[in-house]
Amino acid sequence: MSTTGTAPAAAQASSPGLTPPTPPRTLATRRRRPALIGLSVALIAAGGLAGAFTVLNSGERTPVLMVTKQVPYGAVVTERDLAVVSIGLDPALNPVAAADKDEIIGKRAATDLMAGSLVTGGAVTDKPLLDENQQLVGLRLKPGQLPSTSLSPGRSVLVVSTPDAAANADADGKKQDEIPKSLPAEVIRVGEPDTSGNLTVDVAVAATDGAVLAARAASGNIALVVEPKKASD
């Protein structure tokens, strides 16, 4: 009886054209694989495009202007002071394009332009070195007549008169405590010190004070006091 009960099942399994049903779990697994492969390919392609875009951008160069030698504050910029270089621009930079070279030549340096630095729009100005109501006076100063800290063009200073002891004494020879006379000025240019350490500083003063300051400077009895920087400096 056992042989008779199993024969139909065996014959049915071996009959041609009959395929056993596929379990639903296996079918679902096979259907998901093509989607995962397609997603992987898409991600790889997107990553490749992003990398290529980055490489292309990093290779872009823009011609801009560079300073070839130091140009002091107030000096006129000439063609020999400039060169064209190609750089990859950074968003934080604002250099002058090489095509605008003619607009820079002939203007004055608004600050000390250092060799190797890029030229920016604020580095030059078309304003005159002195205002209409100012005069330029040269001061020859010895060590001790000015601070040891380096002076920079555009810095506000006070030129203080320092009369000798005899001129600052009364009839009895007693020293008088008087507030020294001073004149406000602006540093225009600082020369190089000589072998004795003496330094020539060009300062701009009001036109009404130019002659007075020149007379005081000729005596040598002056000192330079540096004013604190303003918020706008």
Side-chain angles (χ1 to χ4, degrees):
M1 294 182 65
S2 61
T3 303
T4 304
T6 59
Q12 186 177 6
S14 60
S15 299
L18 296 178
T19 303
T22 302
R25 184 175 182 180
T26 304
L27 179 61
T29 303
R30 289 179 179 175
R31 287 178 179 176
R32 284 197 298 267
R33 286 179 180 175
L36 292 175
I37 293 174
L39 179 60
S40 300
V41 172
L43 290 175
I44 293 173
L49 289 175
F53 181 76
T54 301
V55 171
L56 289 175
N57 276 351
S58 62
E60 290 182 356
R61 291 287 185 266
T62 302
V64 297
L65 295 179
M66 182 191 74
V67 181
T68 58
K69 61 180 181 180
Q70 183 175 355
V71 181
Y73 169 81
V76 176
V77 179
T78 66
E79 187 173 4
R80 292 180 297 176
D81 300 327
L82 304 174
V84 176
V85 294
S86 295
I87 64 170
L89 286 182
D90 187 288
L93 298 177
N94 185 28
V96 176
D100 298 330
K101 184 176 181 180
D102 291 341
E103 297 182 10
I104 301 300
I105 296 175
K107 292 185 178 180
R108 296 184 181 275
T111 183
D112 287 336
L113 304 182
M114 307 306 295
S117 63
L118 298 179
V119 181
T120 61
V124 296
T125 180
D126 52 4
K127 293 182 179 180
L129 190 62
L130 297 175
D131 293 337
E132 295 180 357
N133 59 346
Q134 288 184 321
Q135 291 181 340
L136 190 66
V137 180
L139 307 177
R140 186 171 179 80
L141 303 171
K142 301 177 182 179
Q145 290 182 299
L146 74 167
S148 59
T149 303
S150 299
L151 292 175
S152 57
R155 194 64 188 267
S156 297
V157 295
L158 285 177
V159 184
V160 182
S161 297
T162 57
D164 55 27
N168 198 31
D170 58 16
D172 298 330
K174 295 181 180 180
K175 185 177 180 180
Q176 297 178 347
D177 294 328
E178 295 182 355
I179 298 177
K181 297 178 181 179
S182 62
L183 292 174
E186 178 185 352
V187 176
I188 297 299
R189 191 174 184 277
V190 181
E192 295 294 332
D194 59 18
T195 55
S196 301
N198 300 326
L199 190 68
T200 299
V201 180
D202 294 341
V203 297
V205 295
T208 54
D209 297 331
V212 176
L213 180 57
R216 295 180 185 177
S219 68
N221 296 323
I222 57 173
L224 209 63
V225 177
V226 179
E227 293 272 66
K229 282 189 175 181
K230 301 178 182 177
S232 57
D233 290 348

